[in-house]
Amino acid sequence: MHRIVLAVLGIAILFVLLCGPAWYVALRLWRRGDLEAFRPLRAVWVTQAVLACGLLFGADSLTLANPAAWMVGIFVGVSLGGAGLFGGWRLLRFR
């Protein structure tokens, strides 16, 4: 039972780590006056999840050492990269 709770907690933390920065960028844009900043987040989050899963399966197939570090690194990289691209796209589109 403890493993299930830890697994659910880990998945929740990784979900917040993956989706948090893009949500923060959308919140900042919304406060600046972009009233539709939250609308494309569903597509951004799905794209980030698919990319992160693909990279995780790729890292697993290469049998890299320390899979937990690779998992956190992939999630942080995809999360920050997605938030940066999302913010840049919204700023360039609505200037």
Side-chain angles (χ1 to χ4, degrees):
M1 183 67 177
H2 297 288
R3 285 185 171 183
I4 293 174
V5 171
L6 286 177
V8 169
L9 182 64
I11 290 171
I13 289 171
L14 288 176
F15 180 77
V16 169
L17 182 67
L18 186 65
C19 299
W23 183 84
Y24 180 73
V25 168
L27 180 66
R28 295 283 303 222
L29 290 171
W30 181 72
R31 287 182 179 165
R32 286 179 152 185
D34 185 4
L35 299 179
E36 295 186 1
F38 287 100
R39 196 170 294 237
L41 277 184
R42 285 177 282 178
V44 171
W45 288 339
V46 169
T47 305
Q48 284 180 330
V50 168
L51 181 62
C53 288
L55 289 173
L56 287 173
F57 283 123
D60 187 44
S61 68
L62 293 174
T63 61
L64 298 172
N66 199 355
W70 280 105
M71 183 171 63
V72 171
I74 286 171
F75 269 79
V76 168
V78 168
S79 175
L80 295 178
L85 288 174
F86 172 67
W89 170 69
R90 293 299 287 188
L91 287 175
L92 288 176
R93 185 171 174 200
F94 294 105
R95 272 203 159 196

